[in-house]
Amino acid sequence: MSRRTRKNDARTAGKPAPCAVTVCRGCCCGTAKIPGVDHAAQLARLRRAVGDAGTVRVSTCLDACEQANVMVVQPSAEGRAAGGRPVWLGLANDGDVAEDVAAWIAAGGPGLADPPGVLDLYAFSPSRRVRQGLHD
Ligand code: FES
């Protein structure tokens, strides 16, 4: 278990699961294959913007490399109960994506609030096989 995971577990202990953002940092996302993006700064910016409203975790390749950089916004427990499902964002290479995702999470995230309109431009639907890979 990573240090970040333990910190997040302590922060959310006893509370319903908050929204989570999974940020891909695999073979393509977060690498020089996606030029013109300060990947470390993007991740730091996202973590800062989300703050205590949710969790941010990094994953290995999510198997949607043609969409790099990929992020997945997962609903809170309350959002999932309200019908929210994970939302996959691809080509998330613009500097403002972090703030848009954070604003959505602060408003409740999937199932509880509509995303800022600009996030629609990044949304895509991966195959079922790829979606299941995130949850395994
Ligand atoms: S490296 Fe991100 S989807 Fe493959």
Side-chain angles (χ1 to χ4, degrees):
M1 179 182 290
S2 73
R3 176 180 283 166
R4 174 152 299 280
T5 301
R6 280 194 303 268
K7 177 182 172 192
N8 286 343
D9 287 348
R11 192 178 63 201
T12 59
K15 299 178 185 173
C19 290
V21 185
T22 300
V23 180
C24 186
R25 288 294 183 257
C27 55
C28 295
C29 301
T31 73
K33 292 179 183 175
I34 311 300
V37 180
D38 184 338
H39 302 286
Q42 182 191 51
L43 183 57
R45 198 171 164 183
L46 181 64
R47 284 189 164 132
R48 206 171 30 253
V50 169
D52 290 337
T55 60
V56 177
R57 57 187 169 214
V58 172
S59 79
T60 56
C61 179
L62 294 173
D63 208 11
C65 297
E66 69 282 358
Q67 297 285 337
N69 285 334
V70 175
M71 296 181 188
V72 185
V73 182
Q74 295 167 287
S76 65
E78 186 181 2
R80 188 173 291 276
R85 294 294 174 261
V87 175
W88 289 64
L89 304 174
L91 306 175
N93 303 323
D94 183 79
D96 293 333
V97 170
E99 280 74 21
D100 293 330
V101 167
W104 188 20
I105 289 173
L112 299 178
D114 291 330
V118 70
L119 288 184
D120 288 346
L121 300 174
Y122 300 103
F124 73 101
S125 296
S127 69
R128 182 182 311 173
R129 179 186 58 80
V130 169
R131 282 195 312 267
Q132 287 175 336
L134 179 64
H135 304 292
D136 290 342

